[in-house]
Amino acid sequence: MLDAADAADATRARRRTAPPTWLVLTLACSGQFLVVLDVSVVNVALPSMRAGLGLSAQGLQWVVNAYTIAFAGFMLLGGRAGDLYGRKRMFLVGLGLFTLASLGGGLAQAEWQLLVARAVQGLGAAVLAPSTLTILTAAVPEGAARARAIGTWTAVGAGGGAAGGLVGGVLVDALSWRWVLLINVPVGAVVLAGAVCWLAEGRNGDRRRLDLPGAVLVTAGLATLAYGISQTEASGWTAASTVVPLLAGLALIGAFLVVESRTAAPLMPLGLFRLRAVASANAGKFLSGAAMFCMWFFMTLYLQNVLGYTPLEAGLALVPSSLAVLVGSKLAPRLMPSVGARNVAVLGTVVAAVGFGWQSTLSVEGAYLTSIMMPGILMMLGAGLAATPLAALAMSGARPGEAGLVSGLVNTSRTMGGSLGLAVMSTIAAARSAGSGAAGTPEVLTEGYALVFRTSAVVLLAGAVLMLVWLPRRASAS
């Protein structure tokens, strides 16, 4: 009886000291916001970076690629490490690396220093991002409350990507390009302090060693593949600088699959993909990322290169789209209980496809209301509607010990889909412009951008059909 009383007292003590759910949600979403924001925030600062540090054309490209390649390449490792060594621990390690690298990048005095800092930022983001979702899902029970929490997480992440152009424009105009990176330092320090004080440690995996051979192979394979993809815009798909890393990346991923099928403690149990929810939701994330990630990139180019907007004006012009993705992300969990997660994902994808189709009618003298605001709202409203049910379906198919891994897969699918999609769409736009004669004129650029949006609309419609056929109807506990 004394043992039972002691256990009851311990349970009551844990309840008294457990942080409120809203605080856990705030900390997790803050980490996710920083990770996603840094994918896009540097874009408007690139000309100032080039002037300030004398960056080469190749170096300018790698300011973006060093982050995204490290982010995508280490994502699975970060997710599995959270399962094995603790979510809070990996959250702190990832956020600490990210914050220190942001300080180093903001103080960089040479090109190589900036590029190393961006790569370390990406590594920190890869460790941090999966932990944000697993911390959230561990704190909120399965059901409507978790759907709302995932909706908030999705909205914050999407809002971070959407706000990148605006935040970057304000910081560059008001201060300097260095503050695009330095702004992460005070924010990261506050979130770190909150996480140390309030987050509870938790791990669902066993204490087996991390699958280092698998981790090395998948990280090297994804990083090499991402490098090959990044080369396509400058060199084309048939150049040796593109083909060699693409083939090498595929070979490394093939070797990873062989190792995973034979090891006793795999980094990524291949049987996971026999779970319909996990496989189908990640396929949907990949296609959605491939079609939608390029929206901000090409809309910014259209606004500045064709319509003559400044970076800050371009960021302000896309504010309605940023708000729309937040609305969609918060609306989705309200619809999911009655409509079904699959149907909400399909609905959001179709709405986004309509927006991309509308955007493909842009012209050299497009009016703000009909050429930017309204199609942008539809594109991002659909993106927000689709993202939450896809994440919920993927996580509902995961066993507790694999939650971090599935979270890493969700982020990897979206990031790799976005990288591949942006490379393909950039090649499509460049090929259309090159075949139109007077390259670089507003008319020719507009033709290339319009073709990109039409192609994205087709990809999204194909994705909607795939989701309708393959996704389970509702998210449920595994």
Side-chain angles (χ1 to χ4, degrees):
M1 292 183 63
L2 289 176
D3 290 342
D6 289 343
D9 289 341
T11 300
R12 285 192 292 271
R14 283 195 298 270
R15 287 175 178 171
R16 286 195 298 269
T17 58
T21 301
W22 68 265
L23 182 56
V24 175
L25 181 62
T26 299
L27 291 170
C29 288
S30 297
Q32 180 70 0
F33 180 83
L34 286 175
V35 164
V36 179
L37 179 72
D38 252 61
V39 175
S40 59
V41 72
V42 301
N43 288 334
V44 297
L46 291 176
S48 299
M49 289 179 174
R50 184 170 191 175
L53 293 181
L55 296 178
S56 63
Q58 183 100 14
L60 200 65
Q61 179 185 4
W62 276 97
V63 171
V64 177
N65 289 339
Y67 182 87
T68 56
I69 288 175
F71 187 20
F74 286 95
M75 191 83 72
L76 284 177
L77 181 61
R80 190 56 172 158
D83 285 335
L84 295 179
Y85 304 127
R87 306 173 189 124
K88 176 179 178 179
R89 183 177 299 171
M90 290 301 103
F91 184 94
L92 295 175
V93 168
L95 184 56
L97 274 176
F98 183 89
T99 304
L100 288 174
S102 298
L103 177 62
L107 299 178
Q109 300 298 313
E111 177 178 314
W112 71 268
Q113 295 172 354
L114 178 60
L115 298 186
V116 169
R118 288 290 287 168
V120 177
Q121 266 192 310
L123 173 60
V127 175
L128 172 62
S131 298
T132 64
L133 185 53
T134 51
I135 286 171
L136 183 151
T137 54
V140 183
E142 186 86 30
R146 180 179 291 182
R148 288 193 296 271
I150 292 177
T152 301
W153 177 86
T154 304
V156 169
L166 177 59
V167 172
V170 169
L171 291 173
V172 172
D173 281 0
L175 298 169
S176 77
W177 68 264
R178 295 183 180 278
W179 280 95
V180 169
L181 300 172
L182 291 176
I183 192 65
N184 295 326
V185 177
V187 177
V190 170
V191 178
L192 269 172
V196 169
C197 295
W198 294 107
L199 289 185
E201 186 56 279
R203 64 168 66 86
N204 285 321
D206 54 36
R207 294 184 179 273
R208 296 175 297 180
R209 289 186 177 182
L210 192 64
D211 175 23
L212 292 180
V216 170
L217 284 171
V218 72
T219 301
L222 289 176
T224 306
L225 190 62
Y227 173 76
I229 292 169
S230 72
Q231 293 294 96
T232 58
E233 183 177 355
S235 304
W237 286 95
T238 59
S241 60
T242 297
V243 173
V244 171
L246 286 177
L247 292 178
L250 292 174
L252 287 167
I253 291 174
F256 163 73
L257 295 176
V258 171
V259 168
E260 296 304 281
S261 67
R262 297 181 178 180
T263 185
L267 174 68
M268 185 179 72
L270 299 183
L272 196 64
F273 289 98
R274 289 196 288 268
L275 299 174
R276 180 181 174 187
V278 175
S280 58
N282 275 278
K285 276 284 188 182
F286 183 89
L287 287 176
S288 297
M292 295 182 189
F293 183 78
C294 67
M295 179 267 187
W296 303 110
F297 182 82
F298 286 104
M299 283 298 290
T300 302
L301 292 180
Y302 172 62
L303 289 168
Q304 296 186 54
N305 294 342
V306 176
L307 300 184
Y309 284 43
T310 67
L312 180 57
E313 289 170 342
L316 291 171
L318 295 176
V319 166
S321 304
S322 305
L323 297 177
V325 74
L326 302 179
V327 171
S329 298
K330 297 302 290 182
L331 181 61
R334 298 178 182 273
L335 296 176
M336 285 164 59
S338 57
V339 179
R342 180 192 65 187
N343 293 335
V344 175
V346 172
L347 173 64
T349 305
V350 171
V351 170
V354 172
F356 274 87
W358 186 350
Q359 189 65 66
S360 70
T361 64
L362 53 82
S363 66
V364 176
E365 298 179 352
Y368 173 73
L369 184 64
T370 57
S371 292
I372 300 168
M373 190 178 82
M374 294 306 298
I377 287 175
L378 285 178
M379 286 188 281
M380 291 298 101
L381 177 65
L385 281 171
T388 299
L390 287 174
L393 285 166
M395 295 302 294
S396 73
R399 291 185 289 272
E402 295 169 341
L405 173 61
V406 173
S407 174
L409 280 174
V410 168
N411 282 286
T412 299
S413 298
R414 180 186 61 199
T415 305
M416 290 304 298
S419 298
L420 176 60
L422 181 57
V424 171
M425 297 304 175
S426 297
T427 301
I428 289 173
R432 181 58 180 264
S433 298
S436 299
T441 64
E443 292 79 9
V444 170
L445 292 174
T446 301
E447 290 180 12
Y449 302 153
L451 181 58
V452 163
F453 287 111
R454 281 197 295 273
T455 305
S456 293
V458 172
V459 172
L460 287 171
L461 289 175
V465 173
L466 179 70
M467 293 175 198
L468 186 62
V469 172
W470 196 8
L471 286 175
R473 180 174 174 81
R474 296 181 183 276
S476 59
S478 57

